[in-house]
Amino acid sequence: MVEKKLKSAYEFTWKDMKVGNIVTEPGNASGRKTGDWRSDRPILDKDKCIKCAFCWLYCPDAAIKQTDDGYFVSDFFYCKGCGICANVCPKKAITMVEEIEE
Amino acid sequence: MSKRVALEASHAVAEAVMMADVDVISAYPITPQTHIPERLAEMVANGELKASYIPVESEHSALSACLGSVAVGARSFTTTASQGLELMHEVVYCGAAMRFPMVMVVCNRSLSAPISVWGDHSDVMSCRDTGWIQVFCENSQEAFDLTIWGYRVAEDKQVMIPVMVNLDGFTLSHVTEPMFLPEQSEVDKFLPKFNYPYALNPDKPITHGGLGQPDIYTEAKIAQEVALRKSKSVIIQGWKEFGDIFGRYYSPVEKYKTEDAKTLLLTMGSYSETAKVMIDERRARGESVGLISLRLWRPFPYEEFRQAVSGVETLIVFDRSISFGMGGPVFSEAKSALYSEASRPKVVGLIGGLGGRDMAVKDFEYVLDRGKEIEEKGSDRMIEVVGLRGEMIKA
């Protein structure tokens, strides 16, 4: 796993572009913030969650992680707010709420 | 010691590919390019050339396979024409943008419809903006020379851009001419082994062809544009070194009897040689006329072109294709290249030789005479076309 660098593409000039725009660091997409165009955010109600891992299984990105206490929570560095987790949750423990700019 | 042989231009290209020791050939046969992949397939089959020949199902696949083979560091070759070039169109852009050095020979042919297998420059003009280095040949010797030279320039670490070598379908591709074939040792001296620095390797993984979001796409494309423009110095240096070894020197803008010429004709490709016969006749009659031909089409040789027409009164541009709704593309670019100059010739444009329509010496006489007439009196015609039946309407 590449470190989350938060380095924006805007920090690169045309002179920084590699020949043919090749990527020389394998898997570096994980260091790139891709959760910044989310319009809805999943909110977990831990009182309803039964830790079944459906949300983790169905998440099309790698945006859901299991925490030490066994709950599955969204990583907003990657979460794009697609809502699949909320849709598959058998206990309706996840609610999608409108994203508000921080 | 080079030896003097008679070779069809298509077979001259195949000889060049063999002497360049190409590793992968991936091509789909199409008129009038067929003799090139046919001869190469034969060379591979009988062991003359140790290379992989990939018989693909289309031109889209032909170039795609080449990009894949360059990506693992194999020297690669493809060739096509007309509809084939159109079918591979999106991959043509990828080859340049992904900076995959290789050579593609295009036997220039018209585009449908109506169906025409005969020559003009419609196919290559549709590829003006693809980002390849693009050069034009006038004879078998040049077809051979520029194919060898193409690898040298494309693979230069400062360039890393594919090269498109254009030669006219039939009027050049199928013509047998005397030419010199060099020794293999001379070619090896000019063209070192391909050492692609970004080859795919499981021990050192890299990614080719990633996504470019709006926040980086502009920078990526400008880096590509700068690289193409800067390639000109390597192109010129490559021609100089080629000349020093083989004795034949090339320039971005070739000049023929341009000394003190008041009127210049601008041509591209094999028809330049027919036009030169007309220039010879006019010079013999004391007319101050000459000819320039664009050897290098991309990157556009602004400096050399402006220098070549400096002091000239009239520049007559002969186009072999139409940019529909606008006119001759070479005419348009020549005018645009001169617009910012304080002193510049009048530029007039004529179109001809479409879909294999023959351009004989007398037709180039018309181009010259009509060009001068337009320069003096102007033209009220919508478009100036050589040998068109039916009176042209007013613009």
Side-chain angles (χ1 to χ4, degrees):
Chain A
M1 177 70 72
V2 174
E3 188 193 351
K4 291 177 185 174
K5 276 178 287 197
L6 291 171
K7 190 171 179 181
S8 162
Y10 292 103
E11 290 175 49
F12 294 91
T13 74
W14 68 268
K15 290 179 182 173
D16 300 318
M17 302 308 296
K18 292 198 171 72
V19 170
N21 312 308
I22 56 168
V23 180
T24 51
E25 194 183 4
N28 77 349
S30 58
R32 177 129 163 80
K33 189 174 185 179
T34 52
D36 51 1
W37 39 274
R38 185 174 56 243
S39 59
D40 289 302
R41 169 189 289 249
I43 301 294
L44 175 68
D45 181 346
K46 287 186 177 174
D47 293 340
K48 292 183 184 168
C49 178
I50 56 168
K51 303 177 182 175
C52 69
F54 266 38
C55 56
W56 173 83
L57 193 61
Y58 278 90
C59 176
D61 205 317
I64 294 178
K65 310 272 186 317
Q66 190 171 25
T67 55
D68 291 342
D69 55 8
Y71 289 106
F72 291 88
V73 297
S74 299
D75 181 343
F76 294 114
F77 192 78
Y78 304 123
C79 173
K80 291 151 193 76
C82 70
I84 287 175
C85 54
N87 200 268
V88 299
C89 179
K91 291 292 174 186
K92 306 255 177 278
I94 300 171
T95 319
M96 299 303 291
V97 299
E98 197 177 343
E99 188 68 52
I100 293 161
E101 270 193 57
E102 290 160 11
Chain B
M1 259 311 273
S2 56
K3 61 178 178 201
R4 193 168 155 86
V5 295
L7 272 184
E8 183 185 298
S10 294
H11 290 174
V13 168
E15 289 293 327
V17 171
M18 183 171 74
M19 298 190 92
D21 195 22
V22 162
D23 302 305
V24 173
I25 298 148
S26 173
Y28 192 89
I30 182 170
T31 303
Q33 152 268 33
T34 319
H35 291 182
I36 301 175
E38 184 181 66
R39 179 76 186 104
L40 285 169
E42 195 174 68
M43 285 168 161
V44 173
N46 67 19
E48 282 175 86
L49 170 58
K50 285 188 173 50
S52 293
Y53 188 101
I54 309 175
V56 283
E57 77 282 15
S58 78
E59 286 83 357
H60 191 282
S61 303
L63 186 54
S64 297
C66 282
L67 301 194
S69 59
V70 176
V72 296
R75 186 173 276 165
S76 306
F77 177 81
T78 192
T79 174
T80 189
S82 182
Q83 309 302 136
L85 186 60
E86 290 302 305
L87 184 54
M88 67 166 63
H89 197 71
E90 62 169 337
V91 193
V92 180
Y93 279 87
C94 291
M98 295 170 77
R99 307 281 295 277
F100 283 143
M102 60 171 288
V103 172
M104 167 158 65
V105 169
V106 179
C107 295
N108 302 128
R109 170 187 146 184
S110 52
L111 295 174
S112 295
I115 297 169
S116 161
V117 298
W118 299 278
D120 70 22
H121 292 169
S122 300
D123 55 2
V124 54
M125 288 301 152
S126 78
C127 283
R128 273 183 298 167
D129 301 337
T130 54
W132 286 52
I133 293 168
Q134 295 170 39
V135 291
F136 279 79
C137 307
E138 293 176 17
N139 53 47
S140 285
Q141 186 73 65
E142 295 182 5
F144 176 91
D145 290 354
L146 294 181
T147 301
I148 298 277
W149 163 91
Y151 283 104
R152 166 69 185 269
V153 169
E155 293 169 5
D156 189 293
K157 300 290 184 292
Q158 296 171 61
V159 179
M160 306 289 287
I161 294 170
V163 171
M164 188 186 295
V165 177
N166 291 284
L167 56 96
D168 284 313
F170 292 120
T171 53
L172 180 51
S173 67
H174 285 53
V175 172
T176 299
E177 295 181 313
M179 58 167 285
F180 291 99
L181 269 187
E183 291 288 330
Q184 184 66 52
S185 59
E186 292 174 302
V187 173
D188 294 344
K189 193 176 155 196
F190 177 73
L191 182 64
K193 292 273 177 216
F194 185 29
N195 181 20
Y196 180 57
Y198 312 111
L200 294 173
N201 177 351
D203 296 330
K204 200 186 163 194
I206 58 166
T207 300
H208 284 286
L211 174 79
Q213 294 187 147
D215 54 10
I216 203 72
Y217 186 84
T218 303
E219 283 67 28
K221 297 320 280 187
I222 296 310
Q224 182 190 345
E225 166 71 349
V226 171
L228 180 59
R229 292 204 192 201
K230 280 172 70 179
S231 72
K232 201 179 76 179
S233 59
V234 179
I235 288 170
I236 291 168
Q237 180 64 21
W239 275 329
K240 191 196 168 292
E241 287 174 30
F242 186 95
D244 290 347
I245 292 174
F246 301 99
R248 293 178 295 275
Y249 290 88
Y250 296 107
S251 314
V253 179
E254 301 289 358
K255 299 172 192 170
Y256 186 73
K257 300 195 174 175
T258 56
E259 312 80 39
D260 309 319
K262 289 196 177 109
T263 303
L264 284 185
L265 181 58
L266 169 63
T267 55
M268 288 159 87
S270 64
Y271 281 22
S272 309
E273 298 206 331
T274 311
K276 282 174 188 171
V277 177
M278 179 275 291
I279 297 292
D280 287 345
E281 290 176 6
R282 294 301 178 99
R283 277 279 180 179
R285 279 152 52 181
E287 291 184 36
S288 59
V289 296
L291 179 140
I292 55 172
S293 60
L294 284 182
R295 163 89 51 217
L296 181 63
W297 176 231
R298 285 291 186 277
F300 192 87
Y302 286 103
E303 216 174 38
E304 294 79 2
F305 172 66
R306 286 169 183 149
Q307 188 272 330
V309 302
S310 151
V312 169
E313 290 172 9
T314 312
L315 175 69
I316 303 165
V317 182
F318 175 65
D319 264 287
R320 287 194 69 192
S321 70
I322 304 175
S323 172
F324 292 103
M326 190 276 288
V330 186
F331 170 52
S332 161
E333 296 207 7
K335 263 203 300 193
S336 142
L338 296 171
Y339 186 77
S340 58
E341 299 299 286
S343 161
R344 57 178 190 247
K346 282 202 174 175
V347 187
V348 301
L350 288 96
I351 289 171
L354 299 181
R357 178 73 59 92
D358 197 23
M359 285 289 295
V361 174
K362 65 174 173 47
D363 299 303
F364 280 105
E365 285 179 357
Y366 172 82
V367 171
L368 188 71
D369 294 336
R370 177 63 189 154
K372 283 186 183 174
E373 194 176 52
I374 299 168
E375 193 269 324
E376 283 162 25
K377 300 174 190 166
S379 167
D380 60 359
R381 295 176 188 172
M382 178 182 277
I383 188 164
E384 292 284 343
V385 186
V386 183
L388 178 74
R389 294 184 296 274
E391 195 182 338
M392 178 45 65
I393 59 168
K394 289 182 180 179

